[in-house]
Amino acid sequence: MEDFGTRTDLALESARMFSEKNGRLPGVKIEEYDAGDTGIHVTRVRIVDETGARALGKAMGDYITLDAPMLETADEDSHKAITEAVAGQLKRLAPDIHERNVLVAGIGNRQMSPDALGPLVADHLFITRHLLETYGRDAEVTRGMGCVSALAPGVMAQTGMETGEILRGAIKETRPDLLIVVDSLAARSVGRLNRTIQMTDTGIAPGAGIGNRRYGISKDTVGIPVIAIGIPTVIDAAAIVSDTMERMLNAMEQAGPLSEKETGDDGLPGQARRMAAAFDDQERYLLMRELMDPEMMDMFVTPKNMDEIIGRMSYTVSEAINSLCHPDL
Amino acid sequence: MEDFGTRTDLALESARMFSEKNGRLPGVKIEEYDAGDTGIHVTRVRIVDETGARALGKAMGDYITLDAPMLETADEDSHKAITEAVAGQLKRLAPDIHERNVLVAGIGNRQMSPDALGPLVADHLFITRHLLETYGRDAEVTRGMGCVSALAPGVMAQTGMETGEILRGAIKETRPDLLIVVDSLAARSVGRLNRTIQMTDTGIAPGAGIGNRRYGISKDTVGIPVIAIGIPTVIDAAAIVSDTMERMLNAMEQAGPLSEKETGDDGLPGQARRMAAAFDDQERYLLMRELMDPEMMDMFVTPKNMDEIIGRMSYTVSEAINSLCHPDL
Amino acid sequence: MEDFGTRTDLALESARMFSEKNGRLPGVKIEEYDAGDTGIHVTRVRIVDETGARALGKAMGDYITLDAPMLETADEDSHKAITEAVAGQLKRLAPDIHERNVLVAGIGNRQMSPDALGPLVADHLFITRHLLETYGRDAEVTRGMGCVSALAPGVMAQTGMETGEILRGAIKETRPDLLIVVDSLAARSVGRLNRTIQMTDTGIAPGAGIGNRRYGISKDTVGIPVIAIGIPTVIDAAAIVSDTMERMLNAMEQAGPLSEKETGDDGLPGQARRMAAAFDDQERYLLMRELMDPEMMDMFVTPKNMDEIIGRMSYTVSEAINSLCHPDL
Amino acid sequence: MEDFGTRTDLALESARMFSEKNGRLPGVKIEEYDAGDTGIHVTRVRIVDETGARALGKAMGDYITLDAPMLETADEDSHKAITEAVAGQLKRLAPDIHERNVLVAGIGNRQMSPDALGPLVADHLFITRHLLETYGRDAEVTRGMGCVSALAPGVMAQTGMETGEILRGAIKETRPDLLIVVDSLAARSVGRLNRTIQMTDTGIAPGAGIGNRRYGISKDTVGIPVIAIGIPTVIDAAAIVSDTMERMLNAMEQAGPLSEKETGDDGLPGQARRMAAAFDDQERYLLMRELMDPEMMDMFVTPKNMDEIIGRMSYTVSEAINSLCHPDL
């Protein structure tokens, strides 16, 4: 299932792709609803047993997805609505978060806009652990504060260390009791880019995200509960090719011969129909990966104005965390 | 020819594609050689008349391309060799550059790594115009200095102005007599990404580069000679799809049926052969553009570690300009 | 008056210092009030004739100062109040701003936190000029938009050009009818640092700000009305020394001999009294400048966490401009 | 000795100040020489016993200081000379560095230029630990590599954690056997700013540097040997005041009465002489600290173009580390 994992970091996409192909999805429960009239759609994918985990190539647990088409745009009201929705769903995953000692890890490369979500979220947090350590919880200066620390350790090419190693070390030394990891994700579909926020209590799977993380970050590896918040900011190049191929085959099927140069007696429509039937979505994707220039494996596809978008989205996530961890401020 | 322009900013690639299709290339002269044993290959494409200009969709003039496979890597010796080769070729385009009053424009968006070449080059230049204005050319403090000013005005989404407008204004006020524009380019082939430096005396064509520039920057628009230096740092998504499609068709042709599910009596190889024949490279590319998700048009494909690469490449270009403009320092 | 100008960029401080020394202030009208219960104090210094201009070393015109102690801190409500107060006062200086074609110039060095106010404000603006140029004012996509462009050209050491030259050029090419310049200022008093916003319809005086600008930016030099918005983010080192000296003299006067080593028969208190009488504030400042290490002239004094503060303050200013220029969005 | 520690992070300055006052310096050995004709002056201060440690307020160990007036300027030859000198002295402190598993910690705040030395040095290092972990030491791809990892964890206000805690955790998880910490320092004298590099085998003392570190980073706290490399990039404001005061007193003593307004019968020269005698340098400094506006305690004094200077200096340090750790590349 390794390749499946690199294809999408969104449990929702995995579930959709699996059920499209297989018709049903054992071991997985899906619940969907609109969040009032905010325009935000909530999907909760619960992988309840090993069958479900194997089917989707993801760990057992809760995956809550907010689909918020206005996430990447600038409107203040929308951002407020999304912030509240994120906070509300995070509270479902960790009801007592404001009483916990929370470490937030901003995963990713601060220098590359699509990978900078985590570090930018960490930048905007209201950090209090050092104040509570110095003044105690009962001091005037710390009144109403939750306990938050943060680390944006950079990526392996910059540090030579796994992010998981650095976090595990910091956790052993500073003893938080909840880890929130924030990371950029890879999506399968252009339509989800910068519009979807996934929150899960499973942490981060090995190989997920934009970078080259080999080990996962979860309760098993760091020793405390882990909540992961991610937004897909890139699509992998093979997904683009595969999608376009599918559109081409559909177009060929509907439109008849595309070119007068085409002289085959069978005609392209029939051939396309057979070719389209010959591969399902997953097979076509894997084929595309195989056919692509190997150098493409280390590339990603991202919008030209990602620098602006990532700035706005990071504020939305950090404000949700701030409001949850410091509810009395 | 508009679409052709978005396909590649490299005259060399345009020439290659045109002659592959048409066999010959009227109005264009190509000269190639290896630069000693440096591993750098030099190609000079001279578009000498309007026929050539129309054929390649580029302005008449000199396009010098350095192909330096080691450009993106860190080795100090290689960088020195490339720096010298860039300086040598720039000197062919502007022999008296050290006597000129040079304005360097760093085009692009500083916040997006693949588009940051121009701004980073501007950052590393040795800026002297204000010193010469203050102390004169004969002062002790300005001894040996050429006259260099620089501007990195940002992209239209940040300024609301065309880069060409800002530059034309600055040129009228500060009266340089040579403009060097440095910009990130889009390439057609993965193999040219971060390995090729193009220098031309034609300036920048409308629609070139990564951003959404509508007007060109050339002697016609800014009133003084313009030399453009560019490095391809992105590929447009349609090019990736088109390339992979070609590889697929080739693979199908050679390998026979790919899947046991394939049941057509004619067999895929024959169909692929006909399909491959039905489109040339340019037609396939345009078809892919049409089939792609429209949102993909505002996306680009770039390596995951572009932040490191762009830093190194910007030093190479800025050192070449520094050594040419201030030869006595 | 040149030295006076480097001492403080705030007309309010100049007025206070002048009247402390001279008792009265001809040619200057001062109006003060509290802005409701917001905690913001407004002072309007109007220099109405040449006498006043000479006395304060500042151009004739309106200088509105908001004193907002909570400006540098993080509270969302306070920021909203300040944003509204800034917008309200700007509207007094330019009542029809939303109907104008506005160019905002973010003056200063983006790489140095205390000097980055202008560039960061420019980053956060909602830029629309290019959309209005493309689609016109009656299009669906531009409905409700005011016309805003922006430029953050960098400082002279980076460009080799005066900021005023670059702006004049851009103004001639793109024809805005109002220029707003945003800049970091130098204050005389620690108590004003990051707490005061000055708005004036006189533009920026020669030599003002943190950088080494030689020419001013005003209607006289750029040809269109200029509103300047500034926040003091640094104090010059001589001011610090002078202040401390004054505190020392006061302390000596009050406290009697400071040290048992003191053996003079006259006693320090008497000497200090005479020394304190020997210089007024301005003379002491100029003496300190003369006595200081010459290298100190190119240094400034700034808080250790200026990076956080400047980020927050830039949002406050940019939101005020956004709300004024695009009132219907 | 706490205040003494905040006064200068340079053992050399501490030694000079102590011996000026006391005439001799027990428990400290000082060795000085010029590094060939490079213009670099080397001073080695060895604190050999507890008496010396108490006298200077610094831990026992070796403190090597390079005084390189050309450090902050751009010349390529000078930088090469300094790089080699730094590498040479580091090798004295850790002769087998290329065989060690080295973790480099870039201490400080990346967003504030004077505090960004450490993070920028970390950015420029050639990081290899992850490659050696993946491919082993005998692979083609790792040939000649030393083992280097790096971490720039940010400052306590950003993380809520002590830098020492984060490093200790990372060290326990990734098992390096030598820690190099790179940090910006505070100097006492303007003349040392951006011109002096201090290297020591004692690590970083509590309260040293620009930030508010409470705990030190040394073998005692992190469990492995620690080498610290620092460059003074700021002066604390009290030092500036104290220096200027001293210059004033000297000037008064030499020049006679400064003002005709002075009417005391004893005359200022005599008073100044007594006042000058009344305090030594250290007492005057502490007095100034007490007299200064309390807000000044969180401020620093730094050059206006620190952004350019810190960029160049970080390259010098990182190249020295790269050449030492990877001598075969």
Side-chain angles (χ1 to χ4, degrees):
Chain A
M1 294 313 256
E2 244 259 298
D3 278 316
F4 208 96
T6 62
R7 185 177 194 181
T8 175
D9 294 326
L10 295 173
L12 178 56
E13 285 193 337
S14 298
R16 291 271 154 77
M17 288 189 282
F18 189 93
S19 59
E20 268 167 31
K21 186 176 174 187
N22 300 282
R24 54 186 205 87
L25 197 44
V28 177
K29 296 189 177 170
I30 298 183
E31 168 195 345
E32 292 194 58
Y33 58 93
D34 287 326
D37 56 356
T38 60
I40 302 171
H41 188 76
V42 182
T43 310
R44 187 181 182 192
V45 175
R46 289 172 55 211
I47 304 181
V48 295
D49 62 24
E50 276 305 321
T51 311
R54 270 195 307 275
L56 302 196
K58 306 231 171 285
M60 282 172 56
D62 261 24
Y63 299 83
I64 298 172
T65 303
L66 297 187
D67 187 27
M70 63 290 194
L71 175 61
E72 69 178 314
T73 58
D75 181 298
E76 199 171 320
D77 289 340
S78 304
H79 271 285
K80 195 152 181 211
I82 304 174
T83 298
E84 283 170 11
V86 171
Q89 297 297 335
L90 281 176
K91 209 166 169 59
R92 288 173 69 182
L93 295 175
D96 58 347
I97 187 168
H98 58 288
E99 292 167 4
R100 303 240 201 140
N101 179 339
V102 179
L103 170 61
V104 180
I107 314 279
N109 179 356
R110 172 187 295 284
Q111 318 284 351
M112 284 293 284
S113 293
D115 201 17
L117 179 69
L120 291 179
V121 167
D123 286 352
H124 305 323
L125 293 176
F126 182 43
I127 302 297
T128 55
R129 178 182 174 271
H130 58 306
L131 301 174
L132 293 165
E133 293 273 311
T134 306
Y135 301 106
R137 284 189 172 270
D138 299 326
E140 180 62 31
V141 69
T142 60
R143 192 181 303 278
M145 285 182 183
C147 181
V148 177
S149 55
L151 194 57
V155 295
M156 199 160 58
Q158 295 163 343
T159 64
M161 301 180 271
E162 285 280 339
T163 302
E165 291 177 305
I166 300 169
L167 293 180
R168 191 164 51 212
I171 287 165
K172 284 182 187 167
E173 295 295 322
T174 68
R175 303 269 161 216
D177 46 35
L178 175 66
L179 174 66
I180 297 179
V181 286
V182 183
D183 198 3
S184 298
L185 304 180
R188 179 71 180 73
S189 139
V190 177
R192 300 218 170 267
L193 216 59
N194 303 322
R195 287 184 206 163
T196 295
I197 302 178
Q198 175 174 277
M199 289 158 274
T200 172
D201 58 7
T202 60
I204 294 185
I210 297 182
N212 295 307
R213 283 179 293 283
R214 289 170 301 191
Y215 306 120
I217 299 171
S218 66
K219 188 170 183 179
D220 285 350
T221 61
V222 300
I224 59 173
V226 181
I227 288 177
I229 304 174
I231 297 179
T233 60
V234 304
I235 307 174
D236 98 51
I240 302 294
V241 177
S242 182
D243 275 3
T244 309
M245 185 85 48
E246 186 180 2
R247 284 164 177 263
M248 183 187 73
L249 294 170
N250 289 341
M252 284 160 75
E253 207 167 346
Q254 284 160 27
L258 279 154
S259 160
E260 294 175 359
K261 293 180 191 167
E262 164 57 34
T263 56
D265 45 20
D266 186 20
L268 255 172
Q271 299 161 33
R273 208 175 305 121
R274 283 198 293 276
M275 199 157 103
F279 304 101
D280 68 18
D281 181 62
Q282 170 69 351
E283 287 165 345
R284 193 168 54 237
Y285 170 83
L286 294 176
L287 175 64
M288 292 306 113
R289 276 182 69 94
E290 206 159 306
L291 285 168
M292 286 177 76
D293 192 317
E295 297 193 54
M296 288 300 306
M297 292 301 102
D298 284 326
M299 301 204 180
F300 54 58
V301 183
T302 199
K304 287 175 184 173
N305 61 335
M306 197 64 216
D307 57 319
E308 299 166 43
I309 299 170
I310 202 81
R312 283 196 290 268
M313 297 194 309
S314 68
Y315 266 105
T316 301
V317 174
S318 58
E319 279 167 27
I321 297 175
N322 280 335
S323 73
L324 267 186
C325 290
H326 311 292
D328 301 331
L329 290 185
Chain B
M1 295 312 255
E2 245 258 298
D3 278 316
F4 207 97
T6 62
R7 186 179 194 180
T8 176
D9 294 324
L10 294 174
L12 178 57
E13 285 193 337
S14 298
R16 291 270 154 77
M17 287 188 283
F18 188 94
S19 59
E20 268 167 31
K21 184 177 175 188
N22 299 280
R24 57 188 200 86
L25 198 43
V28 177
K29 297 188 178 173
I30 297 182
E31 170 196 344
E32 292 194 57
Y33 57 93
D34 287 328
D37 57 355
T38 59
I40 302 169
H41 187 75
V42 182
T43 311
R44 186 182 183 192
V45 175
R46 288 171 56 212
I47 304 182
V48 295
D49 62 25
E50 276 305 320
T51 309
R54 269 195 306 276
L56 302 196
K58 305 229 171 286
M60 285 173 52
D62 262 26
Y63 299 84
I64 298 172
T65 302
L66 298 187
D67 186 28
M70 64 290 197
L71 175 60
E72 69 177 314
T73 58
D75 180 297
E76 198 171 322
D77 289 340
S78 303
H79 271 285
K80 195 153 181 209
I82 304 174
T83 298
E84 283 170 11
V86 171
Q89 297 297 335
L90 281 177
K91 210 167 168 59
R92 286 174 70 183
L93 295 175
D96 58 346
I97 188 169
H98 59 286
E99 293 169 1
R100 301 239 202 143
N101 179 338
V102 179
L103 171 61
V104 180
I107 313 279
N109 179 357
R110 169 188 298 283
Q111 318 285 350
M112 284 292 286
S113 294
D115 201 18
L117 179 69
L120 292 178
V121 166
D123 284 353
H124 305 323
L125 292 176
F126 182 41
I127 301 298
T128 55
R129 178 183 174 272
H130 58 306
L131 302 174
L132 293 165
E133 292 274 310
T134 306
Y135 301 105
R137 286 191 171 271
D138 299 326
E140 180 61 32
V141 68
T142 60
R143 192 183 303 278
M145 285 182 184
C147 182
V148 176
S149 54
L151 195 56
V155 295
M156 198 159 58
Q158 296 164 340
T159 65
M161 301 179 272
E162 286 279 339
T163 303
E165 292 178 305
I166 300 169
L167 294 179
R168 192 165 50 210
I171 287 166
K172 283 182 185 166
E173 294 295 320
T174 67
R175 304 267 160 217
D177 46 33
L178 175 66
L179 175 65
I180 298 179
V181 286
V182 183
D183 199 3
S184 297
L185 304 179
R188 178 73 180 74
S189 141
V190 177
R192 299 219 170 268
L193 216 59
N194 301 323
R195 286 184 206 164
T196 295
I197 302 178
Q198 175 174 275
M199 289 158 274
T200 171
D201 56 8
T202 61
I204 294 184
I210 296 181
N212 295 306
R213 280 179 295 284
R214 291 170 299 191
Y215 306 119
I217 300 171
S218 65
K219 188 170 184 181
D220 285 351
T221 62
V222 299
I224 59 173
V226 181
I227 289 177
I229 306 176
I231 298 179
T233 60
V234 303
I235 308 175
D236 99 51
I240 303 293
V241 177
S242 182
D243 276 4
T244 309
M245 184 84 48
E246 187 179 1
R247 285 165 177 260
M248 182 188 72
L249 294 170
N250 289 340
M252 284 161 75
E253 207 166 347
Q254 284 161 27
L258 279 154
S259 159
E260 293 177 0
K261 294 182 191 165
E262 164 57 35
T263 56
D265 44 19
D266 186 20
L268 256 173
Q271 298 160 31
R273 207 175 306 119
R274 283 198 294 278
M275 198 158 99
F279 305 101
D280 68 20
D281 180 62
Q282 170 69 352
E283 286 165 345
R284 194 169 51 237
Y285 169 83
L286 293 176
L287 174 65
M288 293 305 113
R289 276 182 70 92
E290 208 159 303
L291 287 168
M292 287 177 76
D293 192 317
E295 296 193 54
M296 288 301 306
M297 291 301 102
D298 285 324
M299 300 202 180
F300 53 58
V301 184
T302 199
K304 287 176 184 171
N305 61 336
M306 197 64 216
D307 57 318
E308 299 166 42
I309 299 171
I310 203 80
R312 285 196 289 268
M313 297 194 309
S314 67
Y315 267 104
T316 301
V317 174
S318 58
E319 279 166 27
I321 297 176
N322 280 335
S323 73
L324 266 186
C325 290
H326 310 293
D328 301 331
L329 290 186
Chain C
M1 296 312 257
E2 245 260 297
D3 278 317
F4 207 97
T6 62
R7 185 179 195 180
T8 176
D9 294 324
L10 294 173
L12 177 58
E13 285 193 336
S14 299
R16 291 270 156 78
M17 287 188 282
F18 188 93
S19 58
E20 268 167 31
K21 185 176 174 187
N22 299 280
R24 57 191 200 83
L25 198 43
V28 178
K29 296 187 178 171
I30 299 184
E31 170 196 344
E32 292 193 59
Y33 57 93
D34 287 327
D37 57 354
T38 58
I40 302 170
H41 188 75
V42 182
T43 310
R44 187 181 182 192
V45 175
R46 288 170 58 210
I47 304 182
V48 295
D49 60 26
E50 276 305 320
T51 309
R54 269 195 307 275
L56 302 196
K58 305 232 172 284
M60 284 171 56
D62 261 24
Y63 299 83
I64 298 172
T65 303
L66 298 187
D67 187 27
M70 63 290 195
L71 175 60
E72 69 177 314
T73 58
D75 180 297
E76 200 171 319
D77 290 339
S78 303
H79 271 285
K80 195 151 181 213
I82 304 175
T83 299
E84 282 170 12
V86 171
Q89 298 296 336
L90 282 177
K91 210 166 168 61
R92 287 172 71 182
L93 296 175
D96 59 345
I97 188 169
H98 58 288
E99 293 168 2
R100 303 238 201 142
N101 179 338
V102 178
L103 171 61
V104 180
I107 313 279
N109 179 357
R110 171 187 298 282
Q111 317 285 349
M112 283 293 284
S113 293
D115 201 17
L117 179 70
L120 291 179
V121 167
D123 285 354
H124 306 323
L125 293 176
F126 182 42
I127 301 298
T128 54
R129 178 182 174 271
H130 58 306
L131 301 174
L132 293 166
E133 293 273 310
T134 306
Y135 300 106
R137 284 191 171 270
D138 299 326
E140 179 61 32
V141 69
T142 60
R143 192 182 305 278
M145 285 183 183
C147 182
V148 177
S149 55
L151 194 56
V155 295
M156 197 159 60
Q158 295 163 343
T159 64
M161 300 180 272
E162 285 279 340
T163 303
E165 291 178 305
I166 300 169
L167 293 179
R168 192 163 52 210
I171 287 166
K172 283 181 185 166
E173 295 295 321
T174 68
R175 303 269 161 216
D177 46 34
L178 175 65
L179 175 65
I180 297 178
V181 286
V182 183
D183 198 3
S184 298
L185 304 180
R188 177 72 181 74
S189 140
V190 177
R192 299 218 170 269
L193 216 59
N194 302 322
R195 286 183 206 166
T196 296
I197 303 179
Q198 174 174 276
M199 290 159 273
T200 171
D201 57 7
T202 61
I204 293 184
I210 297 183
N212 296 306
R213 282 180 293 286
R214 289 171 301 193
Y215 307 120
I217 300 172
S218 66
K219 189 171 183 180
D220 285 351
T221 61
V222 299
I224 59 173
V226 182
I227 289 176
I229 305 175
I231 297 179
T233 60
V234 303
I235 307 175
D236 99 50
I240 303 294
V241 176
S242 182
D243 275 4
T244 309
M245 186 82 50
E246 187 181 0
R247 285 165 177 262
M248 182 186 74
L249 293 171
N250 289 340
M252 284 162 75
E253 208 166 346
Q254 285 160 26
L258 279 153
S259 160
E260 295 176 0
K261 293 181 192 167
E262 165 57 33
T263 57
D265 43 20
D266 185 21
L268 256 172
Q271 300 159 33
R273 206 175 308 120
R274 282 197 295 278
M275 198 157 101
F279 304 101
D280 68 19
D281 181 62
Q282 171 69 352
E283 286 165 346
R284 192 167 56 237
Y285 170 83
L286 293 176
L287 174 64
M288 292 306 113
R289 277 182 70 94
E290 207 159 303
L291 285 168
M292 288 177 75
D293 193 317
E295 295 192 56
M296 288 300 306
M297 292 300 102
D298 285 325
M299 301 203 180
F300 53 59
V301 183
T302 200
K304 286 176 184 172
N305 61 335
M306 196 64 216
D307 57 318
E308 300 167 43
I309 298 171
I310 202 80
R312 284 196 290 268
M313 298 194 309
S314 68
Y315 266 104
T316 300
V317 174
S318 58
E319 278 166 29
I321 297 176
N322 281 334
S323 74
L324 266 187
C325 290
H326 312 292
D328 302 331
L329 291 186
Chain D
M1 296 312 255
E2 243 260 297
D3 278 316
F4 208 97
T6 62
R7 186 176 192 181
T8 176
D9 294 325
L10 294 173
L12 177 56
E13 285 193 337
S14 298
R16 290 271 156 77
M17 287 188 284
F18 189 94
S19 58
E20 268 167 31
K21 185 176 174 187
N22 299 282
R24 54 187 204 86
L25 199 43
V28 177
K29 297 189 178 172
I30 297 183
E31 167 196 347
E32 292 194 57
Y33 56 93
D34 288 326
D37 57 355
T38 59
I40 302 170
H41 188 75
V42 183
T43 310
R44 188 182 183 192
V45 175
R46 289 171 57 211
I47 304 181
V48 295
D49 61 26
E50 275 305 320
T51 309
R54 269 196 306 275
L56 301 196
K58 306 230 171 286
M60 283 172 56
D62 261 24
Y63 299 83
I64 299 173
T65 302
L66 297 187
D67 186 27
M70 62 291 194
L71 175 60
E72 69 177 314
T73 59
D75 180 300
E76 199 171 320
D77 289 340
S78 303
H79 271 285
K80 195 152 182 211
I82 304 174
T83 300
E84 283 170 12
V86 171
Q89 298 296 335
L90 281 177
K91 213 170 167 56
R92 287 173 69 181
L93 296 175
D96 58 346
I97 188 169
H98 59 287
E99 292 168 3
R100 304 241 199 140
N101 180 339
V102 179
L103 170 61
V104 180
I107 313 279
N109 179 356
R110 171 189 295 284
Q111 317 285 350
M112 285 292 286
S113 294
D115 201 18
L117 179 70
L120 291 179
V121 166
D123 285 353
H124 305 323
L125 292 175
F126 183 42
I127 302 299
T128 54
R129 177 181 175 272
H130 58 307
L131 301 174
L132 293 164
E133 293 273 311
T134 307
Y135 301 106
R137 286 190 170 270
D138 299 326
E140 180 60 31
V141 69
T142 60
R143 191 181 305 279
M145 284 181 184
C147 182
V148 177
S149 55
L151 194 56
V155 295
M156 198 161 57
Q158 295 164 342
T159 64
M161 301 180 272
E162 286 279 339
T163 303
E165 292 178 304
I166 300 169
L167 293 179
R168 191 164 52 211
I171 287 165
K172 283 182 185 165
E173 294 296 321
T174 68
R175 304 268 160 217
D177 47 35
L178 175 65
L179 175 65
I180 298 179
V181 285
V182 183
D183 198 3
S184 298
L185 303 180
R188 178 72 180 75
S189 139
V190 178
R192 299 220 171 267
L193 216 59
N194 302 321
R195 287 185 205 162
T196 296
I197 302 178
Q198 175 174 278
M199 289 158 274
T200 172
D201 56 8
T202 60
I204 294 185
I210 297 182
N212 296 307
R213 280 179 294 284
R214 290 170 299 191
Y215 306 119
I217 300 171
S218 66
K219 189 171 184 179
D220 285 350
T221 62
V222 299
I224 59 173
V226 181
I227 289 176
I229 306 176
I231 297 179
T233 61
V234 304
I235 308 176
D236 97 53
I240 303 295
V241 177
S242 183
D243 276 3
T244 309
M245 185 86 46
E246 185 178 4
R247 284 165 178 260
M248 183 188 72
L249 294 171
N250 290 340
M252 284 161 75
E253 206 166 348
Q254 284 159 27
L258 278 156
S259 161
E260 295 175 0
K261 294 180 193 167
E262 164 57 35
T263 56
D265 44 19
D266 186 22
L268 257 170
Q271 299 160 33
R273 209 176 305 119
R274 283 197 295 275
M275 198 158 101
F279 305 100
D280 68 19
D281 181 62
Q282 171 67 352
E283 286 163 346
R284 193 168 54 238
Y285 170 83
L286 292 177
L287 174 65
M288 293 305 114
R289 277 182 68 94
E290 207 159 305
L291 286 167
M292 286 178 75
D293 192 318
E295 296 192 54
M296 288 301 306
M297 291 302 101
D298 285 325
M299 302 205 179
F300 52 58
V301 183
T302 198
K304 288 176 184 171
N305 62 334
M306 197 64 216
D307 58 317
E308 300 167 43
I309 297 171
I310 202 79
R312 284 196 290 269
M313 296 194 310
S314 67
Y315 267 104
T316 301
V317 174
S318 58
E319 279 166 28
I321 297 176
N322 280 335
S323 73
L324 266 186
C325 290
H326 311 292
D328 301 331
L329 290 187

